[in-house]
Amino acid sequence: MGFVSTILGLIGFSFGVSLGMLIGYFFFIYPQPRGVKEPITTQLRDMDTKSLNKLLPEIPMWIKNPDYERIDWLNKFLHDMWPYLDVAICNIIRSTMKPIFDQYIGKYGIETIEFETLTLGTLPPTFQGIKVYEIQDKELVIEPAIRWAGNANIVVALKLFHFKFSAQLIDLQLSLVPRVTLKPLVPTFPCFANINASLMEKPKVDFGFKLLNGDLMAIPGLHHFVQDMVAKQIANMYHWPRVLELPILEVSSGATNRPVGILNVKVVRAMNLLKMDLLGKSDPYVKLKLSGERLRSKRTSIKMCNLNPEWNENFKFVVKDPKTQVLELHVFDWEKVKLHDKLGMQVVPLRSLTPHETTTFTLDLLKSLNPNDAHNKKSRGKLVVELTFDPFKEDNWSMGRQSCVQTGEDGDEFASTGGMLLVTIESAQDVEGKKKTNPYVEIVFKGEKKETKVIKKSRDPRWDEEFQFTLDEPPMEDKIHIEVMNKRSRISLHTKESLGHVDISLADVVNNGRINETYHLINSKNGMIHVEIKWITT
């Protein structure tokens, strides 16, 4: 009896499975069209509201939004380049994934993992429009609308316990609107240091997935569940304000040219210097320069007839790369008529300094830095200096308010330490001289005057030049004078002419850390100037 029941159960099971597959075929597969029909086209004005709402996601962004521009030329470029881009991108994917696959070989019974098929298909992504933001910062912000209904075919084969399994990803479709920021813009190819990307809305993702040649996405309910879960995971990682940052240029390469701190130098004294004058001693002074800078050297006062001078004079330098820069010290004997005689020199690498700690160096002066120079064996005296490297705070470069503030007796907040004022003259518009216009800019701050280069024959000049002022205290009560000048020819009676000026109060710069504004020039009809000012503290 048991044997008969078993036979009947197997027959019933086989019959039930066969009947279920037959019913499923007639309900889900058979009714689907087998041939390709001609599409029915209807003009937008002839559609009703319901049809338009269904069609709205398919309409390109440049039609729905006037801020987006049409870029058919880029789509044509992608179409022609796609066969080559497909191979190049797939090669990158293979080389990137190979070390990841190799980590699992030999574990959990896995013998091999490899791409059996890898192609992005013949259909490239399309840009439905692009939006470009106009901002005054040194960055470029774009928002392209991207859609990709591709026929990609990616098959990963895995050999587990001598059995081969395969997983296939097909018909990948994407719709996303990323915001891409290229910043900061620098004068070194490719002219930007970083790429920041984030999604402005939840992406739409659709794909087919087969495991062991079975289409898992055909399981009722699973397709929409997986599609929504993948879209949510992508949004959680890259949806604004989260940002994916891709560095392009190394900061250490000097392309970004961003100051990182201030070097405080105190020239204390020198001892046992060489006697260079026949009838007297020497009249020494010290010249100081930081390597990698084009600025003029700084120098101490001259100590007349003294082989053991004491200066106790302080200097400040802006540091951009403490790992490679060195402080160059040259001691000279002042001469009234002939060239000044060189008493000796020495250098101090900044990498030997500990941040915020003062280090005293007693340096043996040398003729040159050549180790094979026989003149270095001669004693040339010693030089004593004190060095302190004060790095800038990391939050100095953010848009927010400076963190280093104190409260005075009257309840007002003020920054507690000194730092550096960075003044960037970006550009000017509608500046006009009486004859030819050759504009440049004069910056006057605390009695110190600096100038930009001259742009010849331009009413809309662009300088993009940065000037630095190191200060012992915040310039809360100070103003900076910026004036656009016109350089005339030497034949003219007056060699320069004012095209307008502006006086900027620095209290807001100290409180906010940064201003980036365009100002109307005083005593100019329509002239304007774009200036960025930063206050960074140590």
Side-chain angles (χ1 to χ4, degrees):
M1 191 68 181
F3 176 76
V4 176
S5 300
T6 303
I7 294 298
L8 292 177
L10 291 174
I11 294 174
F13 175 76
S14 301
F15 178 76
V17 170
S18 302
L19 182 62
M21 293 178 65
L22 184 62
I23 294 174
Y25 172 79
F26 279 101
F27 271 92
F28 297 101
I29 299 177
Y30 181 77
Q32 296 182 4
R34 296 173 178 270
V36 178
K37 297 182 179 180
E38 287 291 331
I40 300 174
T41 58
T42 306
Q43 294 188 5
L44 293 178
R45 65 172 179 264
D46 298 331
M47 292 185 176
D48 56 12
T49 303
K50 186 176 180 180
S51 300
L52 284 174
N53 289 334
K54 290 182 179 180
L55 187 62
L56 193 60
E58 308 297 329
I59 298 177
M61 290 295 294
W62 59 269
I63 296 179
K64 296 185 291 185
N65 194 329
D67 292 338
Y68 281 80
E69 298 180 9
R70 188 174 182 177
I71 47 174
D72 289 340
W73 64 268
L74 183 57
N75 292 325
K76 180 65 168 60
F77 172 79
L78 277 176
H79 180 270
D80 294 341
M81 289 292 296
W82 187 246
Y84 309 97
L85 289 173
D86 178 26
V87 176
I89 295 173
C90 289
N91 288 337
I92 294 175
I93 295 175
R94 288 181 186 275
S95 59
T96 303
M97 295 302 297
K98 188 178 185 305
I100 299 176
F101 288 165
D102 292 343
Q103 294 178 0
Y104 294 95
I105 294 177
K107 299 180 180 179
Y108 316 110
I110 299 176
E111 298 180 8
T112 59
I113 307 178
E114 61 183 0
F115 285 106
E116 193 173 84
T117 304
L118 177 58
T119 176
L120 300 181
T122 58
L123 303 176
T126 59
F127 288 81
Q128 293 195 321
I130 189 169
K131 182 178 181 181
V132 181
Y133 288 87
E134 295 184 2
I135 56 178
Q136 294 184 344
D137 291 331
K138 293 181 180 180
E139 58 186 44
L140 176 64
V141 181
I142 59 176
E143 281 187 13
I146 304 173
R147 295 201 67 181
W148 185 25
N151 53 351
N153 184 18
I154 303 174
V155 180
V156 177
L158 180 145
K159 194 172 183 181
L160 179 66
F161 295 114
H162 305 292
F163 293 97
K164 189 175 181 180
F165 302 89
S166 64
Q168 184 180 21
L169 180 69
I170 56 175
D171 299 335
L172 179 62
Q173 299 185 29
L174 292 173
S175 178
L176 64 159
V177 182
R179 173 175 291 179
V180 181
T181 305
L182 310 179
K183 69 174 185 179
L185 301 179
V186 295
T188 302
F189 190 80
C191 299
F192 52 89
N194 296 284
I195 299 178
N196 292 349
S198 57
L199 297 176
M200 303 311 297
E201 59 185 38
K202 183 180 175 181
K204 298 178 181 178
V205 183
D206 192 10
F207 55 88
F209 185 73
K210 292 184 178 181
L211 185 63
L212 299 176
N213 293 325
D215 190 358
L216 296 183
M217 296 296 103
I219 299 177
L222 182 61
H223 177 233
H224 294 290
F225 171 77
V226 174
Q227 180 181 357
D228 188 62
M229 183 181 66
V230 172
K232 284 183 178 178
Q233 290 299 321
I234 296 176
N236 289 338
M237 291 188 293
Y238 303 118
H239 199 288
W240 190 88
R242 295 180 177 87
V243 176
L244 172 64
E245 183 172 349
L246 302 175
I248 303 299
L249 296 177
E250 294 288 342
V251 177
S252 59
S253 66
T256 57
N257 205 32
R258 191 179 77 172
V260 297
I262 293 178
L263 177 67
N264 298 280
V265 181
K266 182 178 182 181
V267 181
V268 183
R269 69 178 70 87
M271 300 169 289
N272 302 322
L273 296 178
L274 293 178
K275 178 183 176 181
M276 302 300 292
D277 298 336
L278 293 177
L279 301 178
K281 298 181 180 180
S282 293
D283 308 319
Y285 68 92
V286 182
K287 292 182 70 174
L288 307 90
K289 183 180 180 181
L290 205 58
S291 65
E293 294 292 339
R294 298 181 180 179
L295 302 176
R296 295 178 57 186
S297 300
K298 299 182 180 182
R299 54 182 289 179
T300 65
S301 58
I302 301 170
K303 300 298 181 181
M304 306 299 292
C305 298
N306 197 334
L307 299 181
N308 297 283
E310 290 195 14
W311 287 281
N312 292 312
E313 297 181 15
N314 296 293
F315 303 89
K316 292 180 181 292
F317 294 89
V318 177
V319 179
K320 295 180 179 178
D321 189 2
K323 294 182 180 180
T324 60
Q325 287 184 293
V326 298
L327 176 66
E328 302 175 2
L329 301 159
H330 299 264
V331 184
F332 289 90
D333 174 34
W334 180 82
E335 297 291 344
K336 188 174 183 179
V337 180
K338 63 177 184 177
L339 292 176
H340 301 180
D341 296 322
K342 187 175 181 179
L343 298 177
M345 67 163 302
Q346 192 55 271
V347 297
V348 180
L350 301 192
R351 63 176 178 270
S352 61
L353 302 177
T354 302
H356 304 297
E357 290 187 11
T358 300
T359 305
T360 302
F361 293 89
T362 302
L363 307 171
D364 293 318
L365 295 176
L366 304 173
K367 174 68 174 178
S368 68
L369 295 180
N370 184 0
N372 299 322
D373 192 344
H375 294 92
N376 287 336
K377 297 180 180 179
K378 181 180 178 180
S379 177
R380 296 178 171 273
K382 298 180 181 295
L383 180 65
V384 181
V385 293
E386 295 178 358
L387 306 182
T388 307
F389 173 56
D390 294 323
F392 293 131
K393 294 183 175 68
E394 290 295 330
D395 59 353
N396 282 322
W397 301 101
S398 63
M399 293 291 293
R401 177 185 173 87
Q402 300 293 324
S403 60
C404 186
V405 294
Q406 293 181 351
T407 305
E409 295 179 357
D410 56 355
D412 294 334
E413 289 184 339
F414 60 91
S416 61
T417 62
M420 184 174 64
L421 193 70
L422 292 177
V423 182
T424 303
I425 306 298
E426 300 282 359
S427 60
Q429 298 86 36
D430 296 328
V431 291
E432 185 175 359
K434 293 182 179 180
K435 295 183 178 180
K436 294 182 179 180
T437 304
N438 304 313
Y440 68 98
V441 178
E442 289 184 352
I443 304 102
V444 181
F445 180 62
K446 289 185 175 292
E448 185 177 1
K449 183 169 75 171
K450 300 185 178 183
E451 297 180 355
T452 67
K453 61 185 177 183
V454 178
I455 306 296
K456 293 184 178 181
K457 299 180 181 179
S458 176
R459 297 182 180 179
D460 300 298
R462 169 168 288 276
W463 294 280
D464 196 17
E465 294 187 40
E466 182 182 88
F467 302 90
Q468 303 159 353
F469 301 88
T470 54
L471 305 173
D472 294 326
E473 58 183 16
M476 288 292 296
E477 306 296 331
D478 296 308
K479 292 185 177 182
I480 188 169
H481 179 80
I482 298 175
E483 187 167 5
V484 181
M485 307 295 294
N486 182 28
K487 188 179 180 72
R488 294 179 174 177
S489 63
R490 296 181 180 179
I491 303 176
S492 302
L493 183 62
H494 300 286
T495 58
K496 61 181 183 179
E497 168 194 4
S498 177
L499 302 181
H501 71 276
V502 62
D503 294 310
I504 303 175
S505 176
L506 299 177
D508 288 341
V509 181
V510 176
N511 290 330
N512 300 320
R514 172 179 179 269
I515 61 171
N516 187 10
E517 299 290 344
T518 299
Y519 298 91
H520 290 276
L521 291 171
I522 301 173
N523 297 331
S524 175
K525 185 176 180 180
N526 298 312
M528 303 179 71
I529 187 168
H530 178 200
V531 181
E532 181 184 25
I533 305 178
K534 295 179 182 178
W535 170 247
I536 50 181
T537 58
T538 55

